Amino acid sequence: MTEGFTKGQKGSSAMPHKKNPISAENITGLSRLLRGYAIAGFENVALWHERDISHSSVERVVFPDAFIVADYACNRMSILLDGLDVNKKRMMDNIESSQGQIFSSHVLLALIQKGMIREDAYALVQRLCHSLSYGEHLKDKLLVDEQIQKLLKPKEIDEIFTGKKHKKAIKDIIKRV
């Protein structure tokens, strides 16, 4: 994924090919500022029961500025998300470059659910992952491994590698946000 990039926009001053994530970097910096305001607010809590008014000078600056910064950051984030360029093929290429190891935790859990002791399942999956050579895929190793064949059917292995478990909670997460 990359931020939207308009015609004529400059990226890096030294690397013409580069598209700097300007909005994301800006939002990250603003989040640091907001965290700093939170610290100032926390330090004021100790003064609430005192007749000390040193907290009021902080609050006169922090409250309005924090709301303005938060509003600006949310607006900038909305614009960033609207213009986001998502390269699905590249994402799939990145996932495939893991040689299926992105699914290793799901294989581990499937073996545990079939009754294998966690430490044994972990060692088995780790051994198979570490034995992968360039161009090999974890799924293929699982399908021919004798220990795996005793516990998981080929259909169950295929199901692990569909990616459905990784996507399972996406809609709920988006609804919450």
Side-chain angles (χ1 to χ4, degrees):
M1 295 187 301
T2 58
E3 282 188 20
F5 201 78
T6 58
K7 186 175 180 171
Q9 182 178 338
K10 299 269 190 278
S12 167
S13 60
M15 296 177 277
H17 69 282
K18 195 172 174 202
K19 297 177 180 178
N20 288 339
I22 298 165
S23 291
E25 289 175 350
N26 181 258
I27 293 164
T28 300
L30 294 173
S31 70
R32 286 187 207 122
L33 188 58
L34 288 171
R35 282 194 306 274
Y37 288 156
I39 291 168
F42 288 139
E43 289 177 355
N44 279 349
V45 171
L47 305 172
W48 285 352
H49 73 289
E50 302 288 335
R51 299 250 337 134
D52 180 339
I53 60 167
S54 63
H55 66 283
S56 67
S57 59
V58 173
E59 291 168 1
R60 274 188 290 248
V61 173
V62 168
F63 285 136
D65 201 43
F67 280 101
I68 291 167
V69 169
D71 178 68
Y72 175 74
C74 287
N75 185 55
R76 187 103 190 229
M77 179 62 85
S78 177
I79 293 167
L80 182 149
L81 292 174
D82 285 343
L84 204 58
D85 179 28
V86 179
N87 185 333
K88 292 180 182 180
K89 184 186 178 330
R90 180 71 177 148
M91 289 178 139
M92 288 308 298
D93 290 346
N94 287 340
I95 290 170
E96 286 304 315
S97 73
S98 79
Q99 298 174 279
Q101 294 179 85
I102 194 169
F103 301 104
S104 67
S105 61
H106 296 267
V107 175
L108 173 69
L109 293 175
L111 293 171
I112 293 168
Q113 287 174 349
K114 293 290 184 168
M116 188 176 250
I117 296 170
R118 187 186 195 292
E119 290 76 19
D120 295 341
Y122 184 94
L124 174 58
V125 175
Q126 183 182 52
R127 178 180 57 80
L128 293 172
C129 287
H130 290 187
S131 73
L132 288 170
S133 297
Y134 181 78
E136 290 185 318
H137 199 279
L138 179 59
K139 180 179 172 182
D140 297 328
K141 290 265 188 180
L142 295 171
L143 290 169
V144 298
D145 185 87
E146 290 179 16
Q147 281 183 280
I148 299 288
Q149 288 176 347
K150 291 176 186 173
L151 296 170
L152 297 174
K153 297 178 179 129
K155 185 177 178 181
E156 293 171 310
I157 294 171
D158 287 341
E159 181 66 23
I160 290 170
F161 286 85
T162 63
K164 287 180 183 174
K165 287 188 179 186
H166 283 108
K167 299 179 213 171
K168 184 179 175 183
I170 289 175
K171 289 181 182 176
D172 291 335
I173 292 168
I174 290 172
K175 282 179 187 176
R176 281 198 319 254
V177 171

